[in-house]
Amino acid sequence: MDAVEHFVEQWRAEAPEIDVTPMATIGRLSRLAQLVQARIDSVFEELGLQSWEFDVLASLTRQGAPYALTAGDLERQMMISSGTTTHRIGRLEQRGYVTRTRDEDDGRVVWVTLTDAGRAACLEAYPVHLENERRILELLSDDDREMLTTGLRALGVALRDEPPTPRTPAQRR
Amino acid sequence: MDAVEHFVEQWRAEAPEIDVTPMATIGRLSRLAQLVQARIDSVFEELGLQSWEFDVLASLTRQGAPYALTAGDLERQMMISSGTTTHRIGRLEQRGYVTRTRDEDDGRVVWVTLTDAGRAACLEAYPVHLENERRILELLSDDDREMLTTGLRALGVALRDEPPTPRTPAQRR
DNA sequence: CCTGCTTATCTTGACATCAAGATAAATGGA
DNA sequence: TCCATTTATCTTGATGTCAAGATAAGCAGG
């Protein structure tokens, strides 16, 4: 019995004519995402990072050399607004973790490039973060963990959460 | 192939010594929660409600008569801070959807009670919201949906997301 | 009764976020 | 070449959120 199951039962008693089963899945999705995020945040706090900071650094690091994306590509990968993107880049620029460069051929484009310090911070946090995630999933049985992963992957496909195709530095027009 | 699978492959290429499999599950959890929330928000917008407003109204409605919770109980059920609780109650009070009442016996406690208008707004939105959730889950096969639900329920239990035990009006000391 | 501790709510200040619009650059058709 | 349209980023203003502390009311032991 978890919290969502309790809410489902309350709704069945109060409004029995409505099929409440979707809530058992989607209600948990957002609630558990929040609970898991709290655990993840606490690890990043120990590492001196905000979760959103790691998000940016990780997006750039996993691209591989030369560790650069345009502001727009970052925006799409992180699923945030353009205003938030500008703000995030600015804060990380102040911290010395990224640099901004105007594209030479297309004056509208801003390249965000990881500095050595930014890459180092990301690579230091990365294994600690993943170990934390591993510890959370270890609370589940192998079967449950596998069902969860399979179900989530299916949902990702169903919602068309497709891989981003960033502009590569070579692709400058 | 979804976005998270792509990120996993990028990480495998860039930092092969780290086991990246936990990200396939937990990365999807937060990413998909965000995608699903966007769909949910758009339905509430049509209904003239914010998601957080429905959260409050639903917490009160599903309690059954007399549709009341203390501010602290709302805070715990919705997993938000006390400051956010105060703010939410204030906004809904302005809209005429809830009322504030000091407990007669314990002067620190504030009872938040649903008005008829608040209950009506919630009961109008509730079936539309659940139909929307049902439509999202319908994108999955029966098997995938069942695995997702089972996996999430297991995670809820593992993270000890336990049912709240609110103070009932009868329990006034 | 006091006095210190706990509990419940509210206030304040900071901040990340978004929507909408501004700015500026590129593009494409007449 | 010119102008309208599209694209990429940034700015502005509003908002929801939290952490930390303030306020105020119970509570418990002397």
Side-chain angles (χ1 to χ4, degrees), chain B residues 2 5 18 22-23 25 31 62 74 76 81-82 86 97 114-115 119 124 139 159 161:
Chain B
D2 66 354
E5 203 165 324
I18 307 288
M23 189 192 298
T25 310
R31 195 171 168 97
R62 70 178 177 239
L74 271 174
R76 284 178 287 277
S81 71
S82 67
T86 300
Y97 284 173
L114 209 53
T115 63
R119 181 146 176 271
E124 184 202 345
L139 298 171
L159 292 178
D161 184 20

Side-chain angles (χ1 to χ4, degrees), chain B residues 5 29 32 39 65 69 91 104 125 131-132 138 140 152:
Chain B
E5 203 165 324
L29 184 66
L32 295 175
R39 297 197 177 207
L69 283 170
R91 294 273 286 108
E104 289 173 9
E131 171 59 19
N132 183 37
E138 219 170 35
L140 298 178
L152 286 171

Side-chain angles (χ1 to χ4, degrees), chain A residues 57 61 66-67 95-99 113-124:
Chain A
L57 301 181
T61 299
Y67 307 109
R95 263 192 98 160
Y97 284 172
V98 304
T99 59
T113 307
L114 209 52
T115 64
D116 289 346
R119 180 145 177 271
C122 185
L123 291 178
E124 184 202 345

Side-chain angles (χ1 to χ4, degrees), chain A:
Chain A
M1 174 73 124
D2 66 354
V4 171
E5 201 164 326
H6 177 67
F7 298 154
V8 163
E9 286 177 8
Q10 285 189 310
W11 273 116
R12 284 208 175 107
E14 187 61 20
E17 69 282 3
I18 308 288
D19 173 22
V20 76
T21 49
M23 189 192 299
T25 310
I26 294 196
R28 276 192 188 93
L29 184 66
S30 65
R31 196 172 168 96
L32 294 175
Q34 195 183 336
L35 284 172
V36 166
Q37 191 61 50
R39 295 199 179 205
I40 288 174
D41 289 346
S42 76
V43 164
F44 280 129
E45 190 178 351
E46 290 170 22
L47 293 164
L49 280 177
Q50 306 283 328
S51 277
W52 64 260
E53 291 178 307
F54 180 79
D55 252 23
V56 179
L57 301 181
S59 297
L60 293 168
T61 299
R62 70 178 177 237
Q63 298 301 315
Y67 307 109
L69 283 171
T70 71
D73 288 331
L74 272 173
E75 173 184 333
R76 284 178 287 277
Q77 292 212 13
M78 299 193 291
M79 299 195 301
I80 57 179
S81 71
S82 67
T84 301
T85 307
T86 300
H87 182 248
R88 286 189 179 186
I89 296 170
R91 293 274 284 108
L92 286 171
E93 201 178 22
Q94 282 182 349
R95 263 192 98 160
Y97 284 172
V98 304
T99 59
R100 267 188 173 95
T101 327
R102 283 259 166 222
D103 186 286
E104 290 172 11
D105 300 322
D106 187 337
R108 299 166 302 176
V109 169
V110 168
W111 285 95
V112 181
T113 307
L114 209 52
T115 64
D116 289 346
R119 180 145 177 271
C122 185
L123 291 178
E124 184 202 345
Y126 179 57
V128 182
H129 171 54
L130 271 175
E131 170 60 19
N132 183 38
E133 291 192 334
R134 197 192 57 71
R135 218 176 308 123
I136 293 169
L137 290 176
E138 218 170 37
L139 298 170
L140 298 179
S141 72
D142 290 353
D143 274 2
D144 285 337
R145 188 166 51 244
E146 198 176 320
M147 283 191 284
L148 179 58
T149 305
T150 304
L152 286 172
R153 184 187 304 122
L155 187 59
V157 171
L159 293 179
R160 306 214 185 297
D161 184 18
E162 285 165 12
T165 55
R167 177 187 302 203
T168 61
Q171 272 177 348
R172 298 181 187 182
R173 308 173 210 174

Side-chain angles (χ1 to χ4, degrees), chain B residues 135-146:
Chain B
R135 218 176 309 123
I136 293 169
L137 290 175
E138 219 170 35
L139 298 171
L140 298 178
S141 71
D142 290 354
D143 273 3
D144 285 337
R145 187 167 51 244
E146 199 176 318

